[in-house]
Amino acid sequence: MSEDHLSGETSLSVEFTENGIKAAAKSRAIAAVERLVGNVADLGNAWIEGVTTRQRAKNEGERQLIEAAARYGIERMGQDQDFAERAFGNHFRKVASQQLNKDAVVAEALNDLRSQPPSNVESTSGPNEISDEFMSRFEGYAEGATTEQLRERWGRILAGEIQETGYFQPESSAHNRRTRRRNSPAF
């Protein structure tokens, strides 16, 4: 038969100290409440540990898949010259295409700035540099600008950001962006 950890004696002790009264009690009810609180805390910890363990396992699995795919690709490239040439050619074409798209967007932005140069106020107000956050996001869009229409649109956006740095920042409120757009040429 297992030992009942709640079977302790019921007792009450009181001690008078210089600072007041110190009381302690032992009973099945107090022991049960203490156990319940501990189990609730342990349940929360177990849930959090479960989420963390699953995420770590998922991350580890993804890492192993990426490493295995890289090993396979490297082995295949070493064994199959035609495959290696196709892989390199495809990668080079993709990178070159992205660069050509970005160059075309920048050319469109320069054309837009030449046709509508910033005013003296626009060119001297605001930050001196475009934010890294804008440029990182913008670069991804510019790389995918495969049509003349997209290149012109992204060029106008870049020109607008150059004219009024911070215009397309996410911290701008939606109201401010709407107000600015009403007063700006349409993109």
Side-chain angles (χ1 to χ4, degrees), residues 78-96:
Q79 297 169 353
D80 185 347
Q81 185 66 30
D82 291 336
F83 174 81
E85 288 175 11
R86 282 192 317 274
F88 178 76
N90 287 336
H91 179 71
F92 179 76
R93 276 190 295 281
K94 178 182 173 187
V95 170

Side-chain angles (χ1 to χ4, degrees), residues 7-24:
S7 67
E9 297 179 15
T10 301
S11 65
L12 177 65
S13 63
V14 177
E15 179 182 338
F16 296 99
T17 65
E18 292 178 10
N19 297 332
I21 300 173
K22 180 179 175 185

Side-chain angles (χ1 to χ4, degrees), residues 42-57:
D42 194 42
L43 179 65
N45 287 338
W47 182 81
I48 290 170
E49 287 174 11
V51 170
T52 303
T53 301
R54 283 188 298 278
Q55 186 60 49
R56 284 187 180 130

Side-chain angles (χ1 to χ4, degrees), residues 163-179:
Q163 287 176 330
E164 188 179 340
T165 303
Y167 181 82
F168 291 99
Q169 293 302 312
E171 62 267 6
S172 300
S173 70
H175 171 74
N176 288 343
R177 287 192 301 268
R178 281 193 302 271
T179 303

Side-chain angles (χ1 to χ4, degrees), residues 20-33:
I21 300 173
K22 180 179 175 185
K26 289 184 184 178
S27 73
R28 289 179 63 89
I30 292 172
V33 169

Side-chain angles (χ1 to χ4, degrees), residues 37-141:
V37 170
N39 285 339
V40 168
D42 194 42
L43 179 65
N45 287 338
W47 182 81
I48 290 170
E49 287 174 11
V51 170
T52 303
T53 301
R54 283 188 298 278
Q55 186 60 49
R56 284 187 180 130
K58 181 181 173 189
N59 292 348
E60 178 62 18
E62 288 174 353
R63 184 191 64 76
Q64 289 177 4
L65 282 172
I66 291 167
E67 288 176 354
R71 277 192 306 275
Y72 172 76
I74 290 169
E75 288 172 12
R76 176 95 188 263
M77 289 174 80
Q79 297 169 353
D80 185 347
Q81 185 66 30
D82 291 336
F83 174 81
E85 288 175 11
R86 282 192 317 274
F88 178 76
N90 287 336
H91 179 71
F92 179 76
R93 276 190 295 281
K94 178 182 173 187
V95 170
S97 174
Q98 290 172 336
Q99 188 60 49
L100 289 171
N101 291 339
K102 288 189 291 187
D103 291 348
V105 167
V106 170
E108 289 296 332
L110 289 172
N111 288 337
D112 197 55
L113 289 169
R114 284 184 191 117
S115 67
Q116 296 177 341
S119 68
N120 288 337
V121 172
E122 288 173 330
S123 63
T124 58
S125 65
N128 292 331
E129 295 181 6
I130 295 175
S131 76
D132 289 339
E133 180 183 10
F134 173 84
M135 288 308 296
S136 293
R137 288 184 176 191
F138 180 80
E139 186 175 13
Y141 293 120

